[in-house]
Amino acid sequence: MLNTGDILETIKMIQEENLDIRTITMGISLLDCIDPDIDQACDKVYKKITQYAKNLVKVGEDIEKEYGIPIINKRISVTPISIISSACKGNPIKFALTLEKAAIDCNVNFIGGYSALVQKGFSAGDEELIRSIPEALSKTERVCSSVNVGSTKAGINLDACKLMGKIIRQTSELTADRNCLGSAKLVVFCNAPDDNPFMAGAFHGVGEEECVINVGVSGPGVVKSAIARAKEANITEIADIIKKTAFKITRMGQLVGTEASKRLGVPFGIVDLSLAPTPAVGDSVAHILEEMGLEKCGTHGTTATLALLNDAVKKGGVMASSKVGGLSGAFIPVTEDAGMIDAARCQSLSLEKLEAMTAVCSVGLDMIVIPGETPEETISAIIADEAAIGMVNSKTTAVRVIPAIGKKEGEELDFGGLLGHGPIMKVNSYSSARFINRGGQIPAPMQSLKN
């Protein structure tokens, strides 16, 4: 039975508190597109994507109109392209251009999967695809790329970390005329999930179904407002408030995922119940932490409040959907969060504090602008540090940093839209080059003696 109070509450969340479905992402397997002829393979890839996703945007827009629920992005993720390109002779850039054409023709915002999984080493085609990433991202607008360099079971591929430091820098250099936008579409993972609907890290895992619909929800403003109404609540009560609010947010994602699945005729995959912020005022994870009692995000107590938030979101969200997956938690992308931007500007928030925060929240060092002169070995070491947190703690971590070519600490970079804007943050100037240049594999951690 419909409850009028629940309906009015949801309307208020949407109109006043920035509640939305951040994305519906169609995951498509390209394994049957493998062909020794690269042109034939690209042709198969294009036909399959456009066949499955031709109605994705229309269905999303129809659901928006019928239910009054904003769906901000419609996206596609595909099998990691390194798997497909390994069977071909030819430049993998052809696949990037094919993905771009398919994304444009399907009218989606982004397409993810120009990716490689190299946590234990490079297989045939992996390194070739990785080295093509800067050119691929400079020649496309909608293609996103990711590389998984570590896992709890495999350890960390330090050679891959070293290479990715170089690739990130080259990507920024090739897109310097567009505010280094290419690096904002490139993420380096440890323990990358197969069913993540969020960009830039989305790809369709090889263990997934032929085609699925995954949904990513978002509602930092809703959580902040709920806490603000409970002015005298203790921290235990705050956790309970967040759980109940996360349940309501995720329930909306479950509805959209179920409807999209039915109308598109493909299975419903998962709801990713992450709190994904935007640069808009009132849609910030940092402001949730400040509502709990911090004067400014980044001060002492930030890691503790973020840990509470992340855990409560998961506990509340899993009760609202039987299909929870992806990343699921609280995102802390600096340039995409109004509160994080303010905290970074006043230097309450540092790169080192952000690294500590990533041990207890979703993903990792996300959308952080660093000085353009930062050495590639330093970027590689940042990746290795973050991968170590993910590896040891059996969680997904990632790095999406943007070297601002030609700019220094304290200046700003503006990407516009959901990618936002933010200050160039300070990076430790002492060298990590000798460590990174050793290469090799950081062994997987002991799992039998946890304490």
Side-chain angles (χ1 to χ4, degrees), residues 383-447:
I383 293 168
D385 279 345
E386 195 59 30
I389 291 174
M391 176 184 71
V392 171
N393 291 290
S394 301
K395 71 183 293 291
T396 301
T397 52
V399 172
R400 185 164 48 150
V401 294
I402 300 96
I405 305 302
K407 294 182 179 289
K408 298 184 180 296
E409 176 194 337
E411 295 184 67
E412 300 219 354
L413 211 57
D414 190 343
F415 304 106
L418 284 175
L419 294 174
H421 56 91
I424 298 170
M425 299 185 72
K426 180 181 179 180
V427 174
N428 193 313
S429 60
Y430 288 96
S431 177
S432 311
R434 187 162 170 253
F435 157 61
I436 290 299
N437 288 325
R438 287 182 181 274
Q441 186 86 3
I442 296 177
M446 285 283 293
Q447 296 295 305

Side-chain angles (χ1 to χ4, degrees), residues 124-436:
D126 285 335
E127 189 170 344
E128 184 180 23
L129 181 128
I130 290 171
R131 291 189 182 278
S132 76
I133 288 173
E135 184 183 355
L137 297 185
S138 70
K139 289 184 173 180
T140 59
E141 295 293 332
R142 307 187 192 199
V143 173
C144 293
S145 182
S146 61
V147 177
N148 192 70
V149 300
S151 73
T152 299
K153 290 187 176 180
I156 300 169
N157 183 346
L158 197 60
D159 292 314
C161 293
K162 177 182 177 180
L163 179 57
M164 287 312 300
K166 181 176 185 176
I167 294 302
I168 289 170
R169 183 167 182 83
Q170 287 179 350
T171 304
S172 271
E173 289 170 350
L174 286 181
T175 55
D177 60 334
R178 287 172 278 161
N179 284 329
C180 308
L181 182 63
S183 293
K185 300 187 295 167
L186 171 59
V187 59
V188 186
F189 276 115
C190 176
N191 290 321
D194 289 344
D195 54 4
N196 166 27
F198 286 100
M199 298 297 170
F203 62 84
H204 188 68
V206 293
E208 294 287 304
E209 297 185 65
E210 181 73 6
C211 182
V212 296
I213 284 291
N214 297 321
V215 173
V217 299
S218 182
V222 179
V223 175
K224 178 184 179 294
S225 295
I227 296 171
R229 290 192 291 270
K231 297 188 183 300
E232 303 304 319
N234 65 35
I235 206 68
T236 307
E237 293 165 337
I238 292 292
D240 197 46
I241 289 167
I242 295 170
K243 283 190 288 185
K244 291 175 180 176
T245 307
F247 176 88
K248 295 171 184 175
I249 294 169
T250 307
R251 187 171 54 184
M252 191 175 78
Q254 175 77 15
L255 168 66
V256 170
T258 303
E259 276 298 309
S261 168
K262 187 195 312 177
R263 298 182 189 196
L264 289 164
V266 299
F268 176 28
I270 56 93
V271 176
D272 185 320
L273 47 95
S274 296
L275 293 181
T278 71
V281 175
D283 201 24
S284 161
V285 169
H287 288 160
I288 296 173
L289 308 184
E290 290 168 5
E291 194 62 52
M292 289 190 209
L294 305 180
E295 182 178 0
K296 183 66 69 173
C297 179
T299 190
H300 303 292
T302 298
T303 307
T305 51
L306 183 58
L308 180 150
L309 173 65
N310 207 55
D311 180 65
V313 165
K314 292 176 191 287
K315 286 175 177 173
V318 295
M319 296 296 292
S321 173
S322 59
K323 295 186 174 184
V324 172
L327 300 165
S328 290
F331 286 4
I332 51 170
V334 175
T335 71
E336 297 177 12
D337 185 306
M340 295 283 176
I341 295 167
D342 290 342
R345 278 180 180 150
C346 72
Q347 299 185 344
S348 171
L349 196 60
S350 67
L351 196 57
E352 291 75 15
K353 184 60 177 178
L354 280 163
E355 184 181 296
M357 292 163 68
T358 64
V360 300
C361 77
S362 284
V363 201
L365 297 171
D366 196 13
M367 289 302 293
I368 296 170
V369 189
I370 59 176
E373 62 192 10
T374 305
E376 61 188 55
E377 294 89 354
T378 298
I379 300 171
S380 298
I382 291 171
I383 293 168
D385 279 345
E386 195 59 30
I389 291 174
M391 176 184 71
V392 171
N393 291 290
S394 301
K395 71 183 293 291
T396 301
T397 52
V399 172
R400 185 164 48 150
V401 294
I402 300 96
I405 305 302
K407 294 182 179 289
K408 298 184 180 296
E409 176 194 337
E411 295 184 67
E412 300 219 354
L413 211 57
D414 190 343
F415 304 106
L418 284 175
L419 294 174
H421 56 91
I424 298 170
M425 299 185 72
K426 180 181 179 180
V427 174
N428 193 313
S429 60
Y430 288 96
S431 177
S432 311
R434 187 162 170 253
F435 157 61
I436 290 299

Side-chain angles (χ1 to χ4, degrees), residues 83-103:
I83 297 172
I84 314 302
S85 66
S86 293
C88 309
K89 288 184 179 179
N91 191 339
I93 293 293
K94 288 187 175 183
F95 284 102
L97 298 175
T98 299
L99 295 180
E100 178 79 359
K101 185 175 188 304

